[in-house]
Amino acid sequence: MNDGHGAAERVARGVPVHEALDTTSPADWVTLDSGVRQLAPGAAVLLPTRNELRHLPAGVPTPGAVSRIALALCHPNGRVRLAALERAAGAAALRPLLVVRCADWVAPVSHRARELLAEVSGRRLVPLAGLILFLARRERGGSARDLLDRALREGPGTDVVDLLTSGDRAVRRLAHRVAVDRRLLTAAELARAAAASDDIRVQTLCAEAALATMGDADVDDVLDPLLSARSPQVRSAGVTGLRRAGRHGEAVAFLADRARVVRACARYVLRQVGTDPLPLYREWCADPAEQPAAAAGLGECGTGEDAETLWGLTAHPVSAVRARAVAGLRALDAVRPDRIRPLLDDPAAPVVRAACLALRPYAAGLERDWLLARTAPEVPAPTRLAARRLVVAQDRARTRGLRTAR
């Protein structure tokens, strides 16, 4: 993103707009707008006047005139901005500033800008999607967004599909919502989109839509990408899909998934056909090296009698099992600070993090000197960080206690 003040001064001194800023960047147009209003007096005298705008040649503006109109569209004086709108209407290069003026704080300016933008054909709004959504956060930015939404819903589906891979997250989200509503993607394509996305909103939207539109013929094409996705939310949707497909038994493989939400979905699916997951967890916890998360699952659905099994697993040679056993004890509400405390010195970072989480509710009762000793520079980083967090939790607990006492 360019500096708004610098870009504005360059344009004021004759540099073409397309050279002074990145015209593909929504933020650059917004900073140009604010930059013109912040010009130093020496550069501000270079801004166009309404008289200059009246004397510009009619028709499509020349590159030089585009720069002058652009400055006028960002002018501190609302009357100049309003006059510039009439000269900007037919210039494609100035449409981004037409969008900016739709969110103008001067009502006549924003009203006229919205009228002019409404005359722009729907397909020509699509390249402005990033800027429109960027400005939609402003108080008056919603009208341009409505025009874009209508253009995407009523225009060619290819325009929507092209935006699915946009570099702008807000644009991708809107495009996926419209694509789902317009049924522009097959169930299999939606499943692949959910699995490939790193945006939880897109993941959830596409996964749910894939399951809702899944037919008998494409069950594997939908479930395979969902069940193998990296995202826990997408995998959990896939496990839920097993129930819809009548393949409840396959949920067993996800009882020991690394994500709690997936394990919970797997248990739900199995219980729908009368399968109790608890005996499976107990069986796996006899030798959990291959399925470390079985220890966490045991805590999530076990009983008080399973606590000793989990305590035994806190000394397991596999660090992942130790960490999951601590998580299982937390889920079972069976944490004993005196027995968890030594795990803060565990050589494995995941175990230390799990112990820290388990000890946080009991921080006020931990020995202060014992914690402070573990914040020393020579202590391994995971333990040092965990100890600092517990010291902070201890201070907060004590502060709350003092306030309550008062």
Side-chain angles (χ1 to χ4, degrees):
M1 181 177 72
N2 287 314
D3 171 66
H5 178 87
E9 184 164 345
R10 288 193 293 274
V11 175
R13 297 190 182 282
V15 177
V17 172
H18 69 273
E19 294 181 12
L21 69 154
D22 178 4
T23 57
T24 66
S25 166
D28 273 22
W29 285 107
V30 175
T31 52
L32 173 68
D33 178 45
S34 61
V36 171
R37 295 194 300 277
Q38 297 166 8
L39 283 175
V45 298
L46 301 174
L47 292 179
T49 63
R50 282 189 288 172
N51 188 53
E52 178 185 338
L53 292 174
R54 283 194 291 267
H55 287 86
L56 287 176
V60 179
T62 64
V66 165
S67 293
R68 301 302 290 168
I69 298 171
L71 289 170
L73 285 167
C74 305
H75 200 283
N77 189 312
R79 293 184 176 87
V80 177
R81 296 198 302 277
L82 184 59
L85 284 172
E86 305 305 326
R87 303 311 307 265
L94 291 170
R95 283 184 195 135
L97 288 175
L98 198 60
V99 174
V100 173
R101 294 281 66 85
C102 283
D104 200 281
W105 58 95
V106 176
V109 176
S110 59
H111 178 73
R112 183 55 180 153
R114 289 194 291 269
E115 289 181 337
L116 293 172
L117 191 65
E119 297 173 4
V120 176
S121 66
R123 297 205 72 178
R124 292 176 179 173
L125 287 178
V126 174
L128 302 173
L131 178 60
I132 290 173
L133 296 178
F134 186 86
L135 289 166
R137 310 168 200 166
R138 294 187 175 182
E139 182 179 352
R140 299 175 181 84
S143 58
R145 188 191 185 285
D146 292 341
L147 291 173
L148 172 64
D149 190 77
R150 186 185 312 151
L152 293 176
R153 293 182 184 280
E154 298 176 358
T158 52
D159 288 346
V160 181
V161 173
D162 288 344
L163 294 180
L164 294 176
T165 55
S166 169
D168 186 304
R169 184 177 65 175
V171 173
R172 291 196 306 273
R173 287 179 174 179
L174 176 60
H176 278 91
R177 282 196 298 272
V178 174
V180 167
D181 291 344
R182 293 185 61 179
R183 295 181 176 270
L184 297 177
L185 301 175
T186 66
E189 288 171 334
L190 287 166
R192 290 195 293 271
S197 178
D198 59 358
D199 184 336
I200 189 169
R201 291 192 185 178
V202 173
Q203 292 169 1
T204 303
L205 174 73
C206 290
E208 291 178 353
L211 294 178
T213 56
M214 177 178 67
D216 294 339
D218 55 2
V219 170
D220 289 338
D221 291 337
V222 172
L223 293 184
D224 288 351
L226 297 181
L227 293 171
S228 60
R230 293 184 61 186
S231 162
Q233 286 73 22
V234 177
R235 289 201 308 282
S236 65
V239 173
T240 302
L242 291 173
R243 175 176 175 266
R244 296 187 185 184
R247 291 160 49 173
H248 301 72
E250 294 178 39
V252 171
F254 296 90
L255 284 174
D257 190 273
R258 60 185 179 275
R260 179 171 186 158
V261 65
V262 180
R263 296 193 297 269
C265 283
R267 291 194 293 269
Y268 168 77
V269 169
L270 289 170
R271 285 169 177 153
Q272 299 307 296
V273 289
T275 301
D276 183 1
L278 183 54
L280 291 171
Y281 281 128
R282 287 172 173 166
E283 178 184 342
W284 292 338
C285 283
D287 185 13
E290 296 298 321
Q291 300 185 89
L298 178 61
E300 289 158 1
C301 70
T303 64
E305 66 186 73
D306 296 304
E308 281 309 311
T309 298
L310 293 174
W311 281 118
L313 294 179
T314 60
H316 197 278
V318 176
S319 62
V321 174
R322 298 198 299 277
R324 299 294 187 169
V326 174
L329 288 166
R330 286 179 57 226
L332 200 57
D333 197 20
V335 170
R336 287 177 51 186
D338 58 321
R339 295 183 68 176
I340 291 289
R341 199 177 72 162
L343 294 175
L344 213 63
D345 295 318
D346 195 279
V351 180
V352 175
R353 288 194 294 268
C356 180
L357 283 173
L359 288 172
R360 188 172 294 176
Y362 307 94
L366 298 176
E367 294 179 24
R368 184 78 168 187
D369 291 344
W370 182 86
L371 285 176
L372 292 175
R374 279 152 183 77
T375 64
E378 66 273 11
V379 174
T383 297
R384 191 167 65 245
L385 178 60
R388 286 174 181 168
R389 287 175 174 170
L390 290 171
V391 167
V392 170
Q394 189 175 77
D395 290 340
R396 288 176 178 169
R398 290 177 177 174
T399 300
R400 285 194 300 269
L402 289 173
R403 289 175 179 169
T404 303
R406 289 175 187 171

